[in-house]
């Protein structure tokens, strides 16, 4: 990485989850300590890279689902370091009026996001915030202050592969509840999360090793049950096929899927109608 790019404040003493995920997806915004941890993670869970890609593919399918439902605004919490298949890249392929605000607390993720969006040259439709997703009201106000999002129209809220780094004691459940309350009727919530529920044999042993290994990182992981994960949706209506392994969520014909149960995903809709003048789209 170019040293001129480095943010002023960055922790290089411990591996960082956002940078490790970037490494797993083939990115370059990571350091030796992150790559070393990543290699150890692959030893503990040999399909870790494939699962990271499967999670990224789920993100793309979920975004396209929302576009098909007429939702063109996105608030991506814990968005991580931009790599191929970012929310705004997927959305812009199908809707040239789509809008996206990214939120992350990792300085490298934020700096990379801002650089990427500067290159895109469309500040009216895209923004990046350096913030903690648990501060729901502050994040919401800052996101609206960018002028990118219209709170009176449906917004897709995303927490993809991030909540399993935030145990309940951090207040994350209340934060997600606050976001759900703030969203307009017809909005969507996209979630993916690690779990041991329904996982058996060698995969269960490996995911437990991976969770144990994460204790050395800046963000130790927590595995929740399917019921605990489902609770994040509150009263939102979870769309078919429900909360399932990410590779099984509306797979596209002919696309390769990751046959693992240890990361699940789902999409919920806020009751009360579409409240969207644009109507459905056909991505």
């Amino acid at each position: 990485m170019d040293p001129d790019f480095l943010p002023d404040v960055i922790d290089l003493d411990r591996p960082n989850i956002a940078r490790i995920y970037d490494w797993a997806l083939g990115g370059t915004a990571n350091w030796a300590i992150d790559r070393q941890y990543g290699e150890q993670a692959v030893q503990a869970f040999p399909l870790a890279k494939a699962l990271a890609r499967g999670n990224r593919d789920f993100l793309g399918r979920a975004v396209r689902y929302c576009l098909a439902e007429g939702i063109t605004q996105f608030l991506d919490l814990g968005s991580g370091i931009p790599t191929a298949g970012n929310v705004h890249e997927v959305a812009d392929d199908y809707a040239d009026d789509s809008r996206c605000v990214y939120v992350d607390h990792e300085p490298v993720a934020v700096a990379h996001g801002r650089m990427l969006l500067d290159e895109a040259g469309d500040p009216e439709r895209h923004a990046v915030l350096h913030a903690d997703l648990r501060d729901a009201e502050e994040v919401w106000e800052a996101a609206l202050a960018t002028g990118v999002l219209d709170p009176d129209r449906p917004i897709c809220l995303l927490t993809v592969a991030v909540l399993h780094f935030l145990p309940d004691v951090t207040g994350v459940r209340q934060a997600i509840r606050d976001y759900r309350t703030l969203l307009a009727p017809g909005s969507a919530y996209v979630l993916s999360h690690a779990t041991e529920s329904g996982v058996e044999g060698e995969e269960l042993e490996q995911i437990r090793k991976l969770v144990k290994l994460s204790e050395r990182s800046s963000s130790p992981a927590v595995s929740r049950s399917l019921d605990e994960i489902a609770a994040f949706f509150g009263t939102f209506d979870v769309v078919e096929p429900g909360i399932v392994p990410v590779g099984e969520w509306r797979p596209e014909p002919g696309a390769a899927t990751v046959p693992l149960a240890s990361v699940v995903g789902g999409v919920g809709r806020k009751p009360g109608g579409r409240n969207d003048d644009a109507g459905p789209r056909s991505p």
Side-chain angles (χ1 to χ4, degrees):
M1 172 169 290
D2 182 351
D4 292 335
F5 173 79
L6 290 175
D8 293 334
V9 180
I10 185 170
D11 179 9
L12 292 180
D13 293 330
R14 291 185 296 173
N16 176 272
I17 293 301
R19 302 193 308 258
I20 296 164
Y21 192 57
D22 172 74
W23 169 83
L25 291 171
T28 59
N30 50 77
W31 278 265
I33 193 169
D34 306 308
R35 294 188 288 273
Q36 291 167 4
Y37 177 95
E39 294 291 353
Q40 292 173 358
V42 170
Q43 290 178 8
F45 193 47
L47 290 175
K49 282 189 174 183
L51 191 56
R53 173 50 57 190
N55 189 73
R56 195 67 168 185
D57 292 342
F58 160 76
L59 169 68
R61 296 195 303 274
V63 168
R64 288 190 287 274
Y65 163 82
C66 290
L67 292 165
E69 291 291 301
I71 301 173
T72 59
Q73 302 188 103
F74 300 87
L75 178 59
D76 189 359
L77 304 178
S79 53
I81 294 170
T83 60
N86 299 297
V87 171
H88 83 275
E89 290 179 337
V90 174
D92 286 356
D93 281 344
Y94 296 98
D96 57 12
D97 60 343
S98 66
R99 294 169 174 265
C100 181
V101 173
Y102 294 105
V103 179
D104 207 287
H105 75 286
E106 212 288 317
V108 172
V110 174
H112 256 280
R114 287 175 176 163
M115 182 179 69
L116 180 71
L117 296 184
D118 284 346
E119 292 173 354
D122 200 346
E124 294 184 356
R125 295 198 301 116
H126 307 128
V128 181
L129 300 178
H130 187 196
D132 188 325
L133 69 84
R134 291 168 295 182
D135 299 326
E137 291 191 9
E138 292 183 17
V139 169
W140 185 257
E141 290 176 4
L144 297 187
T146 66
V148 171
L149 303 177
D150 178 355
D152 295 326
R153 298 177 60 246
I155 293 171
C156 172
L157 178 74
L158 302 104
T159 58
V160 175
V162 63
L163 296 188
H164 46 237
F165 299 114
L166 296 169
D168 288 354
V169 294
T170 65
V172 64
R173 287 198 178 275
Q174 181 61 51
I176 299 302
R177 188 179 303 122
D178 291 343
Y179 285 112
R180 293 197 312 262
T181 299
L182 291 164
L183 293 170
S187 291
Y189 176 39
V190 175
L191 163 71
S192 70
H193 197 294
T195 187
E196 295 179 9
S197 294
V199 185
E200 300 177 343
E202 186 177 2
E203 183 181 353
L204 178 59
E205 180 181 345
Q206 290 181 9
I207 195 67
R208 287 176 173 171
K209 287 181 180 179
L210 195 59
V211 170
K212 181 68 175 177
L213 181 63
S214 75
E215 294 175 2
R216 294 177 41 206
S217 76
S218 60
S219 303
V222 56
S223 174
R224 292 184 172 96
S225 69
L226 288 178
D227 286 343
E228 290 172 326
I229 294 169
F232 281 111
F233 287 96
T235 60
F236 279 32
D237 299 322
V238 178
V239 304
E240 293 294 335
I243 303 170
V244 297
V246 289
E248 298 176 14
W249 196 89
R250 304 195 177 205
E252 293 164 344
T257 59
V258 180
L260 294 173
S262 47
V263 174
V264 296
V267 177
R269 298 295 303 276
K270 185 167 186 175
R274 306 179 73 85
N275 191 28
D276 187 352
D277 295 333
R281 296 174 182 256
S282 299

